[in-house]
Amino acid sequence: TDASKVYKIGSWKDKDFDKKKSKELLEAEIEFCNPDLIILLGAQPLHLLDKNKNYAFTVEDENYLLIKNKKCVVAPFLIGNGPVGNRYGKGFEKRLKIASNKITDMKFK
């Protein structure tokens, strides 16, 4: 998920979404679906679920993040990286590899 779920009334502008309602919806989806693994695309869903986590540190951490007793992987969100440093943004390839490894490892646990 990229977390852009519920936009403010009358608005479809990028990043103009209701964070409180988006968090409530995201948490309800997690509870309803009861997934084994949650893949958070970029900083927005991470900050919705845990506003105290640092995106750069968390996305590069090789351990799973636990949110509501669910394993989470924070993966870089291609659209959100922009053309900084290299084709997909600073550290994109490294971060994608870390996330991919965690997702792949989940299949065997």
Side-chain angles (χ1 to χ4, degrees):
T1 183
D2 70 352
S4 297
K5 302 283 184 189
V6 181
Y7 286 85
K8 293 178 183 173
I9 294 174
S11 176
W12 284 97
K13 294 178 195 170
D14 187 34
K15 297 185 182 184
D16 191 20
F17 65 102
D18 187 320
K19 290 180 183 178
K20 182 177 183 247
K21 293 216 181 281
S22 293
K23 179 180 180 173
E24 290 170 3
L25 179 59
L26 183 54
E27 288 175 339
E29 288 176 339
I30 291 168
E31 185 176 327
F32 178 79
C33 294
N34 194 26
D36 294 324
L37 179 67
I38 300 166
I39 301 170
L40 305 173
L41 299 175
Q44 284 188 354
L46 173 65
H47 293 149
L48 276 180
L49 295 173
D50 189 340
K51 63 183 174 186
N52 296 316
K53 292 287 183 191
N54 176 282
Y55 170 74
F57 175 78
T58 305
V59 75
E60 292 183 12
D61 187 351
E62 296 194 10
N63 297 306
Y64 293 99
L65 173 66
L66 284 178
I67 295 179
K68 298 197 177 268
N69 292 324
K70 298 291 180 191
K71 286 185 178 179
C72 298
V73 172
V74 179
F77 189 30
L78 178 60
I79 295 171
N81 275 279
V84 179
N86 65 36
R87 184 173 173 202
Y88 298 116
K90 187 176 180 182
F92 179 83
E93 298 290 336
K94 174 186 174 184
R95 292 172 173 177
L96 183 61
K97 183 174 181 166
I98 291 168
S100 297
N101 288 340
K102 286 190 277 190
I103 293 164
T104 302
D105 287 347
M106 225 2 237
K107 287 194 261 184
F108 304 105
K109 293 184 181 181

